[in-house]
Each structure stands twice: as structure tokens, then as C-alpha cells.
């Protein structure tokens, strides 16, 4: 039932034609990552490199690269997980349809991890430096583990039932890390490991950490699941894997995953940090070098048939996009029970996930009043922003289901049209300033520092959305090439901002990279534009105007528009509007709303493939090459 090991999974996928073995020695520095990106874009198979250059272990890519393959990997358990979710929503369903839920109590028992004394992962111990050293992007600070399951236990109450399993960034080498002794551990705000780390600091003791790589594919998926605090991801992994997760129990030491391919054991000492990064991250930019906790490595274990799984993150969509799809499939129906009145929430992958949330709520206050002012929507917006990783959002757009009963949050084009037809920019913009945003988002005023904008719109449509740009537009100097992105949304190329973002070659960037943003001299460009948008100006009929570096690129696809607009803007600094006013500390404008989404000096630079590496992979993909017919040129 399910796959106990990664080897069992790859063998089965190979038999079914979903995995291909490549013996050609492709290098683990940049080349394997280049192949992974191409495999994912083309919907290709999983690939097992048996003799990668620079690695003593086979390397697996694209395991989670298609919905079909994910459904096959978890074919024995997805339906059971969904049934447990249904019972979470309405326990009475078990009485109404007992034949559907007869085995759910058995599945609930299978959630509990089981204790064992030994396991395959303890077969061999090796130095840290013998692990695969895969590097994904040219400016990465070193090799990283990209599919880790980082395990910690509550220092106050050790044990698997109060453990946390999370997928946090792990830098294996580079920077100032001591060779074979230290690795970097990067985790963001609002992650479960932070609770355990704080408890360890409170007790004045090191935090014990174990990093699992490989094993059942269910373990990696469980590490990214947004489970309620206090519910161990190991319990969820048991149901998804179809068997109880075996944990090796040892006196005085944390448990470790018996069926993992690799385990790194160590401790994080209180107050010890070192520079970590840069790293090409899921927003599509380089996370810069910053101080993060250091893990002192004590043991590195691996099983005798170990496989090293890896993925690539970067500008979406990437393989982790499918993780997001699976999370929504399994947990989406629970949202109305956790957030009363909220019908659906969608973290928009194309925008880098955290920068933009779309939500459909409901208005149930005073149903006898014919009112178009959002009221309960704002309550629901606050509840959404108070939930775990959803709290990292910069933009939250929420509408009322009563205005469009069939609208879902994941229907991006219809959602934008619905909102822009109804929004009143004077009333419906609600800013949160001087607050936290995603650690990986450099559009704000400092590390983790930025702002949020909630736009809540309800009621009948108040405008028709333009779809074509009329001739004879007049724009201020430096602004040109208006292009339609969506109905009601136009992108305009604005004056270039210099200097462009650069990578720091040494030391940590810290607050210095944001210092220039304090004065934001480029805002004068936008104010010059909005001052010209009077009642008779053609831009007046467009509710949303986005100022970009290249309007042709921004308007070329929905994905380009979403990525540029919401990763390159900080609401409090970069949202402007024609006819703006402040009334009782509430900002609004008569419209259009103008978002400055140009690259600014304090932003991180976008990730870009290495040309020489791309050329080498092109050669391997041509007719007669070892990757011909497998990977697209």
C-alpha cells in the first residue's frame, strides 16, 4: 500500500513509462537544473541520472512534474485523504453514508507514526561533503537541498506527536560555512520550526534538527502542507503514504525517518548565525545574502540504494506549482470551516504565490439593507490575513459571492473583470502599513518589512471595462507604448530607473540595499503621470494602470502581467491614483489606480539561465544526443 521508499516509487514509475533513466554524465552544477526546467515546461517524464558528474549518488528530477504523475504516486491514498477531509467538514456524513466512510477510522489510525529501533537509512554514515552538491542558478551562493523535510520536536514536550516537518531552504556549502561541519538553515516568518527554535532559545539550549531527503514521496508533500499548528505533519504523511511512517526512536535524541534516503543530524546553537544565500527563489528573483541560523552537523546517514531527489524553484510555474495544486485539492474544501463566510481563496502561483491572494467571501450582515459598502468582506479579509502563510500576502482582492454565485477565486480572468467592474477606489482600498511581508520579497522597505493592500468590492457593476486602446493618446515624457493586459487593465512603459538591481558579491546586504528606497525619487514620475489624467484623458476609463519597464512583455501573457505587477510593487509606496484624497486617514482615489511595477534599485535581480549551460544542454538534446526525444531543445 503506497510507496515505502523512493526506490520503490522510481522502479514502479519506470515500469509504467513515467520515468526514464539517463546514464550520460550530466553535471550537477547548473546542467541538471536546466534539464529539470525543460522537463517541467514540456510535461516530460521524471528522470533518474545514474552517473551525474560530481555526485556519488543518482539524482532524481521532475518526480512531481505533472498532475498525472502525482495522482499515480498517491493513487492508493488520495481518495482516502479526501474522505477524511469531508468528515472534518461534516462529521455527520459518516452516519448519513456509512458505506462511503467505513474505512475512515482505520485511515485515521494509520496517521500515527510508529516507533522502530533501526531502519535502512542507518546503513551508511558519510561526511557531509559526499552529499550531492546540486546548484540551480548561476548566482546561487552554493549548493542547496531543494526537497528537504526538516524535522524538529518541541523542546518542552519532545516526541513525534508534537513535531514539525517543514520544507525549509538548506545551503550545503559556500559562504563562511565550515567545511564538512556547518550548513545554513533558512526559514521564513510564520513557520512551525520557529516555534521550536524560540522554545529552545528560551530554555538556553541548542535546537536539535534532522533533515530528511527522499523516502516516501508523501513525506516531502506533507512538509509543505499548511496544517494547523500542533498537528504533526508526520500524521498527515501516514494517510497520504498509505502506511504509518516509521521513526527510529533513540534515547535522548530526536527520532529520525527510518525509510529516508538521507538524514542529516545536527544542532542549531542559540544566537549563532552566518550569511546564507543568494538563492534563486520561487518569486523568480534571487533571495539575497542574509544572516540565518547555522546547523552544526553531527551525523550524515544514507541507505544503501539511496537516491537524491531535487527540484528547481524560480519564476512560476515550476515543479512546486504542482505542490500548490495538490494542497488546494486536499485542503480547499476545508476553507469555509476555518474561515466562516469565505467560499474560496487562491494564492496566485504566477505572482509568486504570496504576493497576491484572490478570495470570494460573502455578505451576511443586515441582509434587509440594499447596501453596496463592503462590511463582512473586510472581517473575512482580516481572518484570511491571520492564517499562517496567507499572512505573507501583499495584495488581497476579495469579492462577494452574492454578486456572482458561480465565481471561484482560481478563475483569474473572470475574477479581475468582476472586481474591476465594481470597485470604488475612493472607498474600497484598505492599507496595512509598516507590517511584515514574505522574507523573499524585496519590494518592501526592509527584510520582512513592507505593506499590504486589501481591495474589497461588492454590489452591481458601476462601469464597463475597456478592451481596446483608442488612437491619439497623449502621455507625459518618458511614458509610452500602452498595451492591454486584461479588460480594464493597461500596462504603460515608464521612465527607466537606474541603477538596476545587482547581486552583492560579498558580505550581507541587510538594510543597506533598502536605504535608497526611503526617498523613492522615482515616485515623482508616477505623480507626474497621474496629474495629467483628468476627466477627458483616455486613461480615465481604465480602472487599473500598471507602469512597467516593458509593456510589450507585461501584456504578452496573463502570467507576465501577474508576475511583474505583484512582485515588483510595495502597496504603500507604489500604489498611486488619479484624484487621490485622504479622508479620516483613509486613502482613496477617483481612478484609475496606478501601480508602479518597475524594477527598482532595492529589488533583487531576476533569475536568468546561464547561456553557456543552456547551449551545452541544447547540444545534448539534438538528434543523436543522449537527451534527444526526452528533453526539448
Amino acid at each position: 500500500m503506497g510507496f515505502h521508499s523512493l526506490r520503490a516509487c522510481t522502479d514502479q514509475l519506470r515500469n509504467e513509462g513515467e520515468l526514464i533513466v539517463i546514464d550520460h554524465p550530466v553535471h550537477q552544477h547548473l546542467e541538471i537544473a536546466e534539464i529539470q526546467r525543460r522537463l517541467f515546461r514540456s510535461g516530460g517524464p521524471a528522470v533518474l541520472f545514474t552517473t551525474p558528474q560530481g555526485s556519488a549518488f543518482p539524482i532524481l528530477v521532475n518526480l512531481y512534474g505533472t498532475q498525472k504523475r502525482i495522482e499515480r504516486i498517491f493513487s492508493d491514498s488520495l481518495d482516502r485523504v479526501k474522505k477524511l477531509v469531508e468528515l472534518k467538514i461534516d462529521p455527520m456524513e459518516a452516519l448519513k453514508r456509512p458505506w462511503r466512510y467505513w474505512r475512515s477510522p482505520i485511515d485515521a489510525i494509520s496517521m500515527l507514526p510508529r516507533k522502530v529501533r533501526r531502519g535502512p537509512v542507518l546503513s551508511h554514515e558519510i561526511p557531509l561533503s559526499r552529499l550531492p552538491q546540486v546548484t540551480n542558478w548561476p548566482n546561487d551562493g552554493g549548493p542547496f537541498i531543494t526537497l528537504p523535510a526538516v524535522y524538529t520536536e518541541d523542546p518542552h514536550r519532545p516526541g513525534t506527536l508534537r513535531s514539525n516537518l517543514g520544507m525549509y531552504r538548506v545551503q550545503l556549502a559556500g559562504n563562511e560555512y565550515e567545511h564538512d561541519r556547518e550548513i545554513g538553515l533558512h526559514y521564513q516568518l510564520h513557520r512551525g520550526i520557529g516555534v521550536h527554535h524560540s522554545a529552545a532559545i528560551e530554555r538556553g539550549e541548542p535546537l536539535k534538527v534532522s533533515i530528511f531527503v527522499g523516502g516516501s514521496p508523501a513525506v516531502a508533500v506533507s512538509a509543505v502542507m499548511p496544517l494547523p499548528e500542533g498537528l504533526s505533519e508526520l500524521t498527515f504523511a501516514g494517510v497520504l503514504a498509505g502506511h504509518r511512517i516509521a521513526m527510529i526512536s533513540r534515547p535522548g535524541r530526536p527520532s529520525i525517518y527510518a525509510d529516508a534516503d538521507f538524514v542529516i543530524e545536527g544542532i542549531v546553537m542559540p544566537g549563532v548565525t552566518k550569511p546564507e544565500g543568494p538563492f534563486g527563489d520561487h518569486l523568480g528573483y534571487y533571495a539575497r545574502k542574509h544572516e540565518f541560523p547555522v546547523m552544526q552537523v553531527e551525523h550524515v546517514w544514507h541507505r544503501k540504494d539511496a537516491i537524491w531527489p531535487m527540484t528547481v524553484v524560480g519564476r512560476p510555474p515550476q515543479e512546486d506549482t504542482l505542490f500548490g495544486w495538490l494542497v488546494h485539492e486536499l485542503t480547499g474544501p476545508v476553507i469555509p470551516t476555518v474561515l466562516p463566510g469565505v467560499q474560496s481563496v487562491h494564492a496566485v502561483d504566477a505572482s509568486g504565490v504570496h504576493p497576491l491572494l484572490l478570495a470570494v467571501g460573502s455578505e451576511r450582515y443586515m441582509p434587509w439593507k440594499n447596501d453596496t459598502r463592503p462590511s463582512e468582506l473586510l472581517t473575512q479579509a482580516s481572518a484570511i490575513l491571520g492564517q499562517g502563510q496567507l499572512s505573507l500576502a501583499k495584495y488581497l482582492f476579495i469579492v462577494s459571492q452574492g454578486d456572482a454565485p458561480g465565481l471561484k477565486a482560481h478563475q483569474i480572468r473572470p475574477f479581475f473583470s468582476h472586481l474591476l467592474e465594481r470597485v470604488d477606489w475612493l472607498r474600497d482600498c484598505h492599507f496595512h502599513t509598516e507590517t511584515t511581508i514574505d522574507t523573499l520579497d524585496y519590494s518592501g522597505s526592509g527584510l520582512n518589512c513592507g505593506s499590504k493592500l486589501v481591495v474589497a468590492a461588492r454590489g452591481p457593476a458601476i462601469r464597463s471595462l475597456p478592451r481596446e486602446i483608442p488612437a491619439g493618446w497623449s502621455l507625459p515624457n518618458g511614458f509610452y507604448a500602452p498595451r492591454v493586459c486584461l479588460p480594464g487593465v493597461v500596462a504603460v512603459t515608464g521612465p527607466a530607473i537606474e541603477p538596476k538591481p545587482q547581486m552583492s558579491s560579498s558580505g550581507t546586504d541587510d538594510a543597506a540595499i533598502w536605504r535608497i528606497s526611503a526617498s523613492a525619487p522615482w515616485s515623482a514620475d508616477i505623480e507626474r503621470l497621474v496629474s495629467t489624467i483628468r476627466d477627458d484623458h483616455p486613461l480615465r476609463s481604465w480602472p487599473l494602470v500598471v507602469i512597467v519597464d516593458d509593456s510589450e512583455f507585461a501584456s504578452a501573457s496573463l502570467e507576465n502581467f501577474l508576475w511583474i505587477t505583484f512582485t515588483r510593487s510595495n502597496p504603500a509606496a507604489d500604489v498611486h491614483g488619479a484624484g487621490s484624497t485622504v479622508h479620516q486617514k483613509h486613502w482613496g482615489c477617483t481612478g484609475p489606480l496606478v501601480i508602479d511595477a518597475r524594477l527598482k534599485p532595492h529589488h533583487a535581480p531576476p533569475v536568468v539561465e546561464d547561456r553557456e549551460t543552456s547551449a551545452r544542454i541544447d547540444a545534448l538534446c539534438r538528434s543523436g544526443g543522449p537527451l534527444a526525444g526526452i528533453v526539448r531543445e
Side-chain angles (χ1 to χ4, degrees):
M1 186 180 297
F3 298 112
H4 282 260
S5 70
L6 189 56
R7 178 68 65 175
C9 177
T10 57
D11 287 347
Q12 185 63 40
L13 292 177
R14 185 179 184 184
N15 291 337
E16 297 175 4
E18 282 288 327
L19 180 144
I20 292 174
V21 172
I22 293 180
D23 297 324
H24 185 81
V26 179
H27 207 286
Q28 61 180 342
H29 182 77
L30 300 183
E31 292 185 352
I32 287 180
E34 175 82 14
I35 293 169
Q36 155 65 24
R37 290 189 287 270
R38 298 186 188 199
L39 286 167
F40 177 77
R41 286 196 297 264
S42 64
V47 168
L48 182 64
F49 296 96
T50 56
T51 57
Q53 284 182 282
S55 171
F57 298 93
I59 295 175
L60 174 66
V61 302
N62 210 38
L63 177 64
Y64 307 97
T66 66
Q67 290 186 18
K68 174 185 175 184
R69 193 149 55 248
I70 290 176
E71 289 170 342
R72 169 62 192 94
I73 292 170
F74 303 116
S75 59
D76 294 337
S77 56
L78 275 181
D79 186 58
R80 293 200 297 274
V81 174
K82 290 179 179 179
K83 288 175 182 176
L84 286 172
V85 170
E86 291 170 6
L87 291 179
K88 165 70 175 174
I89 297 171
D90 184 3
M92 294 302 294
E93 284 294 310
L95 298 178
K96 297 175 185 176
R97 295 187 290 171
W99 59 91
R100 174 171 172 78
Y101 300 103
W102 69 270
R103 69 164 293 134
S104 291
I106 301 173
D107 293 332
I109 294 174
S110 77
M111 295 174 72
L112 300 175
R114 63 185 180 93
K115 294 182 179 180
V116 297
R117 292 186 177 181
R118 290 197 60 81
V121 76
L122 294 179
S123 296
H124 301 280
E125 185 171 6
I126 59 173
L128 177 67
S129 56
R130 285 206 63 206
L131 292 175
Q133 309 284 303
V134 181
T135 305
N136 288 351
W137 294 101
N139 288 328
D140 280 356
F144 286 80
I145 307 176
T146 51
L147 283 176
V150 181
Y151 177 82
T152 56
E153 296 179 1
D154 186 343
H156 295 309
R157 295 174 294 176
T160 56
L161 294 182
R162 295 182 180 89
S163 64
N164 178 75
L165 194 71
M167 190 168 286
Y168 312 125
R169 200 162 81 212
V170 179
Q171 185 169 348
L172 284 173
N175 295 340
E176 301 171 16
Y177 300 123
E178 186 178 339
H179 179 71
D180 265 339
R181 287 273 301 153
E182 295 178 335
I183 58 179
L185 188 60
H186 176 123
Y187 64 85
Q188 296 164 258
L189 292 176
H190 308 287
R191 297 300 186 106
I193 189 175
V195 177
H196 291 171
H197 197 175
S198 294
I201 293 173
E202 178 185 328
R203 294 167 63 92
E205 62 187 36
L207 176 68
K208 299 173 182 177
V209 179
S210 297
I211 300 170
F212 311 146
V213 180
S216 168
V219 172
V221 171
S222 299
V224 301
M225 292 296 294
L227 300 177
E229 190 172 311
L231 174 60
S232 167
E233 288 80 7
L234 289 177
T235 60
F236 182 86
V239 174
L240 191 58
H243 60 265
R244 297 173 69 185
I245 301 301
M247 298 294 290
I248 301 172
S249 180
R250 302 161 302 166
R253 298 171 66 183
S255 300
I256 61 173
Y257 176 31
D259 293 313
D261 286 68
F262 301 86
V263 170
I264 305 172
E265 291 187 85
I267 57 174
V268 175
M269 295 297 295
V272 178
T273 62
K274 285 190 177 182
E276 184 269 356
F279 179 73
D281 223 309
H282 70 264
L283 271 71
Y285 306 86
Y286 283 100
R288 297 180 187 265
K289 190 185 297 185
H290 293 287
E291 295 284 327
F292 274 95
V294 176
M295 178 175 168
Q296 297 179 4
V297 176
E298 297 175 331
H299 301 281
V300 179
W301 309 96
H302 74 86
R303 59 190 300 153
K304 65 179 181 180
D305 57 351
I307 295 172
W308 185 266
M310 59 82 65
T311 189
V312 178
V313 291
R315 181 193 161 181
Q318 301 285 350
E319 189 177 7
D320 56 350
T321 297
L322 275 300
F323 279 165
W325 164 79
L326 182 59
V327 168
H328 183 267
E329 280 288 298
L330 298 178
T331 65
V334 181
I335 285 175
T337 69
V338 178
L339 300 168
V342 177
Q343 306 303 313
S344 60
V345 177
H346 180 53
V348 180
D349 181 71
S351 73
V353 181
H354 295 146
L356 175 62
L357 293 179
L358 307 181
V360 177
S362 55
E363 287 286 0
R364 301 169 298 184
Y365 293 169
M366 297 183 290
W368 62 89
K369 286 190 67 177
N370 185 20
D371 192 1
T372 62
R373 179 178 296 276
S375 50
E376 191 178 4
L377 288 184
L378 294 176
T379 302
Q380 292 159 5
S382 295
I384 291 169
L385 292 177
Q387 294 292 316
Q389 294 183 48
L390 298 181
S391 66
L392 299 176
K394 285 192 303 185
Y395 291 86
L396 168 57
F397 296 166
I398 184 168
V399 299
S400 174
Q401 187 184 46
D403 298 328
L407 183 65
K408 304 296 181 184
H410 68 274
Q411 298 169 316
I412 297 175
R413 289 180 183 273
F415 186 100
F416 266 87
S417 291
H418 178 88
L419 179 134
L420 293 175
E421 287 171 347
R422 288 160 175 77
V423 67
D424 178 350
W425 297 126
L426 270 175
R427 180 191 65 190
D428 296 338
C429 294
H430 307 274
F431 287 88
H432 298 228
T433 59
E434 297 296 333
T435 187
T436 56
I437 60 174
D438 191 343
T439 306
L440 308 175
D441 191 327
Y442 287 81
S443 66
S445 54
L447 187 65
N448 297 129
C449 300
S451 61
K452 304 179 188 298
L453 172 60
V454 174
V455 176
R458 67 174 290 203
I462 61 175
R463 67 176 65 84
S464 296
L465 301 180
R467 297 170 181 267
E468 296 181 356
I469 297 174
W473 276 40
S474 175
L475 294 170
N477 289 338
F479 294 91
Y480 60 96
R483 298 290 184 269
V484 177
C485 298
L486 289 170
V489 182
V490 61
V492 175
T493 299
I497 298 175
E498 299 294 346
K500 294 298 183 186
Q502 300 290 328
M503 292 306 305
S504 174
S505 59
S506 63
T508 56
D509 297 311
D510 296 331
I513 64 169
W514 287 284
R515 195 171 296 131
I516 192 174
S517 71
S519 59
W522 45 85
S523 294
D525 294 331
I526 309 302
E527 294 303 324
R528 185 162 51 89
L529 171 69
V530 298
S531 67
T532 67
I533 305 176
R534 300 181 179 87
D535 291 342
D536 58 346
H537 195 282
L539 276 179
R540 198 71 175 189
S541 61
W542 295 80
L544 180 57
V545 177
V546 184
I547 308 304
V548 296
D549 295 299
D550 183 350
S551 59
E552 291 284 356
F553 179 80
S555 62
S557 67
L558 175 62
E559 290 72 22
N560 287 2
F561 158 71
L562 294 168
W563 181 57
I564 288 175
T565 302
F566 298 104
T567 64
R568 299 184 182 182
S569 60
N570 172 24
D574 296 321
V575 170
H576 306 256
S580 63
T581 60
V582 176
H583 176 65
Q584 296 182 350
K585 300 181 178 65
H586 175 87
W587 183 94
C589 67
T590 56
L593 195 77
V594 179
I595 300 178
D596 183 1
R598 295 171 292 172
L599 272 175
K600 303 169 184 76
H602 60 287
H603 290 183
V607 294
V608 179
E609 285 87 355
D610 176 69
R611 291 184 180 180
E612 292 183 1
T613 301
S614 297
R616 289 196 300 272
I617 301 306
D618 285 343
L620 297 178
C621 295
R622 293 182 187 126
S623 179
L627 302 182
I630 301 171
V631 181
R632 292 185 180 178
E633 187 176 341

